[in-house]
Amino acid sequence: MPAESGRGDGFRLALTTLTTVPVRAGRIDRATAGTAMALAPLVGVLLGVLLGAVLLVLGALAPPLVAAGLTVGVAALLTRGLHLDGLADTVDALGSYRRGAAALEIMKKPDVGPFGVVALVVVLLLQTATLAELAGRSWPTALAAVVAGTAAGRLGITLACRRGVPAARPDGMGTLVAGTVGPVAPVVGTLVVALAAVPAVPGRPWQGPLAVLVALAVATGLLRHLVRRLGGITGDVLGALVEVVTTLVYLGLVLSG
């Protein structure tokens, strides 16, 4: 398969997996999945530009809190709510104090338990509150902040799919993508997203990159814990990492001191 075709199939797979963009999927195998997971931050950048524009337009028409809440809703629609579902399922499994197959069985249940509900409420409230604050900034700053947070969240997927991280199940998305990303993509992705975050905080060019690095460090620790508890990664784990990293970056961008 030519390199150009492989990258094209990988990008299409990234779009169809991480968004609701109606793109026809090409070849699907582990090599293509690896390309898709490596390109996940790029999808995050594109999604962040769109969500940033939504926030700014709505912010000109409605109070910041309303604009932020609607932007969070649009983000859920554009991702089919899959990342939020993954967050709820993952937190329910952690809250059960079970390990391995027993924890994975909890994640497969269609209902959401109390731990998952609390996690969803907290994350959605924090994202809405932080976006409301970001909506009050100048448009280049606000746009950079949303792009950085959204791209960093998808970079969490790239980190989780790097070589050496196993899949928790013999089937499912985790099996397709686990261990498919080489060592270069996470490093390049981190540098690019950190640079994108430089203009996200007025007068503090260091705060944006620091927020990204701290969020990714927390995600790395959480990933290790999840691999110990579950035996590897699943699609739900990837979704949970997206929401955790995005929320932490937004928080880091609005902190003052």
Side-chain angles (χ1 to χ4, degrees):
M1 181 173 61
E4 292 79 6
S5 176
R7 286 193 291 269
D9 287 341
F11 184 61
R12 285 194 293 272
L13 181 60
L15 283 174
T16 57
T17 302
L18 302 177
T19 74
T20 56
V21 175
V23 178
R24 292 182 60 184
R27 180 172 176 174
I28 300 178
D29 53 24
R30 281 182 56 80
T32 306
T35 302
M37 298 303 99
L39 293 175
L42 175 58
V43 175
V45 170
L46 299 176
L47 189 61
V49 170
L50 179 57
L51 292 175
V54 170
L55 179 66
L56 291 169
V57 170
L58 292 176
L61 302 173
L65 191 59
V66 174
L70 290 173
T71 302
V72 170
V74 171
L77 288 174
L78 291 176
T79 58
R80 303 185 190 90
L82 290 178
H83 305 323
L84 292 169
D85 179 70
L87 174 68
D89 289 343
T90 301
V91 173
D92 275 339
L94 291 176
S96 72
Y97 295 101
R98 298 181 183 180
R99 309 179 72 89
L104 293 172
E105 189 61 31
I106 290 174
M107 296 173 73
K108 290 176 65 175
K109 293 182 178 180
D111 59 322
V112 179
F115 287 105
V117 171
V118 171
L120 288 175
V121 170
V122 171
V123 162
L124 291 173
L125 283 175
L126 287 175
Q127 289 184 4
T128 300
T130 51
L131 285 175
E133 199 284 332
L134 293 173
R137 298 180 179 180
S138 66
W139 76 261
T141 299
L143 184 61
V146 177
V147 168
T150 308
R154 279 69 190 171
L155 180 57
I157 293 178
T158 306
L159 293 174
C161 293
R162 68 186 185 276
R163 292 170 190 165
V165 181
R169 297 190 182 99
D171 55 8
M173 182 179 178
T175 303
L176 178 65
V177 302
T180 59
V181 176
V184 176
V187 174
V188 173
T190 300
L191 290 174
V192 171
V193 175
L195 286 174
V198 169
V201 182
R204 295 184 175 187
W206 52 267
Q207 187 168 337
L210 180 61
V212 170
L213 294 177
V214 170
L216 293 175
V218 172
T220 300
L222 176 60
L223 176 63
R224 289 175 180 170
H225 179 64
L226 288 168
V227 170
R228 286 195 299 268
R229 286 285 299 275
L230 305 176
I233 64 170
T234 68
D236 284 334
V237 167
L238 299 182
L241 291 174
V242 169
E243 296 298 341
V244 168
V245 173
T246 298
T247 304
L248 288 176
V249 171
Y250 286 161
L251 279 172
L253 295 178
V254 301
L255 292 178
S256 59

